[in-house]
């Protein structure tokens, strides 16, 4: 259920979580949810098309903290994914989602236990782009980017979402370009155009791991084809 994008699938994971909590109150069962359990539920919420998923994520976070569990950055990122994938035209709901996303980013900033990664800022900026506009949008994105670069988490995906979310004048303001640099083509900016300390703490291990997974998958597919070819030859 956690990886399903079928509408309502998160209700099943939340129902399982509720049952685990009920059983954990009985000394006969060791079903106390842990960080991994809650991550799966947050993941299912983020993947769901439920328009109330941000509200549910907020209640789930409160429930998790009541159990004395400290969210890690993967959970915080799924919470921000819930926010940026919320689809609504309701102004009140938009305000609520923006508030929750902003509070989540502030929690990360004030935490002594977690550090943000590029996904954190990508999801937050997407939330601002989709649910706010005008001065509020620019103010939130600008503050988030200042946090991003101070943490050394500026990456190509973050640059890309900034280019998509902001007009050239806003982008110039956020990226702190001076008048001498105003002639730059903002659509073709590269990370090398910016101070290295803005991105010096980006963890590339996941990217390398995924690259290796792709290589392994291709190798495995090649071996399967070879075995299939050998079996056909033997049958002939």
């Amino acid at each position: 259920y956690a990886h399903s994008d079928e509408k309502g699938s998160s209700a099943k994971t939340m129902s399982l979580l509720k049952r685990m909590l009920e059983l954990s109150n009985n000394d006969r069962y060791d079903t106390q949810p842990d960080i991994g359990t809650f991550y799966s539920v947050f993941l299912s919420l983020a993947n769901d098309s439920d328009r109330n998923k941000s509200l549910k994520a907020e209640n789930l976070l409160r429930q998790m903290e009541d159990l004395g569990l400290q969210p890690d950055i993967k959970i915080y990122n799924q919470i921000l994914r819930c926010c940026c994938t919320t689809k609504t035209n309701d102004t009140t709901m938009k305000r609520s989602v923006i508030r929750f996303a902003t509070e989540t980013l502030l929690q990360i900033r004030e935490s002594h236990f977690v550090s943000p990664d590029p996904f954190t800022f990508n999801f937050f900026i997407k939330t601002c782009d989709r649910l706010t506009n005008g001065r509020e949008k620019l103010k939130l994105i600008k503050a988030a980017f200042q946090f991003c670069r101070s943490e050394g988490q500026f990456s190509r995906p973050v640059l890309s979402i900034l280019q998509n979310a902001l007009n050239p004048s806003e982008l110039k303001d956020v990226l702190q370009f001076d008048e001498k640099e105003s002639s730059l083509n903002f659509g073709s900016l590269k990370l090398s155009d910016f101070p290295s300390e803005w991105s010096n703490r980006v963890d590339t291990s996941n990217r390398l791991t995924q690259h290796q997974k792709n290589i392994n998958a291709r190798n495995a597919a090649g071996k399967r084809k070879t075995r299939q070819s050998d079996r056909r030859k033997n049958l002939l």
Side-chain angles (χ1 to χ4, degrees):
Y1 300 130
H3 295 278
S4 173
D5 58 0
E6 180 183 348
K7 186 175 182 178
S9 60
S10 63
K12 298 173 183 176
T13 58
M14 295 187 78
S15 177
L16 288 171
L17 175 64
K18 181 180 178 181
R19 184 58 178 154
M20 288 179 70
L21 288 167
E22 290 171 348
L23 289 174
S24 68
N25 292 324
N26 189 321
D27 293 337
R28 293 170 55 192
Y29 302 101
D30 183 17
T31 60
Q32 179 75 20
D34 58 14
I35 291 290
T37 308
F38 276 95
Y39 172 76
S40 295
V41 183
F42 279 113
L43 178 62
S44 71
L45 271 174
N47 288 335
D48 203 329
S49 57
D50 187 338
R51 70 190 299 268
N52 295 309
K53 58 177 155 183
S54 294
L55 174 61
K56 292 180 179 179
E58 187 170 10
N59 292 333
L60 188 63
L61 177 62
R62 201 173 294 125
Q63 185 178 24
M64 180 182 177
E65 291 173 337
D66 287 343
L67 290 172
L69 294 174
Q70 169 64 44
D72 59 16
I73 195 58
K74 290 183 179 180
I75 285 179
Y76 279 128
N77 284 348
Q78 291 307 317
I79 289 172
L80 291 172
R81 261 191 77 214
C82 285
C83 295
C84 78
T85 55
T86 293
K87 296 180 180 179
T88 180
N89 293 318
D90 184 87
T91 302
T92 302
M93 181 173 286
K94 285 182 178 181
R95 301 297 309 160
S96 177
V97 175
I98 286 294
R99 173 196 56 76
F100 181 41
T102 303
E103 288 177 356
T104 299
L105 193 65
L106 287 173
Q107 268 190 285
I108 296 170
R109 184 168 194 161
E110 295 169 0
S111 174
H112 299 295
F113 304 101
V114 297
S115 297
D117 61 22
F119 292 107
T120 308
F121 300 104
N122 194 295
F123 296 144
F124 181 80
I125 293 169
K126 280 183 180 178
T127 303
C128 297
D129 183 35
R130 293 170 179 176
L131 301 178
T132 61
N133 52 55
R135 292 182 180 179
E136 181 187 26
K137 171 181 167 179
L138 180 59
K139 180 181 178 180
L140 289 171
I141 291 179
K142 192 172 182 178
F145 182 68
Q146 288 174 349
F147 179 29
C148 175
R149 73 171 196 233
S150 71
E151 291 292 315
Q153 295 298 323
F154 187 39
S155 65
R156 179 63 217 177
V158 173
L159 175 58
S160 179
I161 191 63
L162 286 173
Q163 290 170 314
N164 290 332
L166 303 171
N167 62 44
S169 176
E170 293 170 333
L171 190 62
K172 176 185 173 183
D173 183 17
V174 170
L175 296 178
Q176 297 183 335
F177 279 97
D178 57 31
E179 291 301 322
K180 295 178 181 179
E181 299 166 307
S182 60
S183 60
L184 284 172
N185 183 350
F186 287 97
S188 60
L189 291 173
K190 306 180 294 295
L191 284 183
S192 57
D193 294 323
F194 303 92
S196 59
E197 59 266 25
W198 288 12
S199 55
N200 63 0
R201 279 181 275 177
V202 175
D203 183 6
T204 60
S205 61
N206 288 335
R207 207 178 314 159
L208 294 172
T209 300
Q210 186 60 50
H211 177 63
Q212 189 59 51
K213 285 181 180 178
N214 292 339
I215 293 175
N216 292 342
R218 288 195 294 269
N219 290 340
K223 290 179 181 178
R224 283 196 298 272
K225 287 181 180 179
T226 300
R227 287 196 297 269
Q228 290 170 354
S229 176
D230 291 341
R231 282 198 293 269
R232 283 197 294 268
K233 289 178 180 178
N234 291 334
L235 287 174
L236 293 173

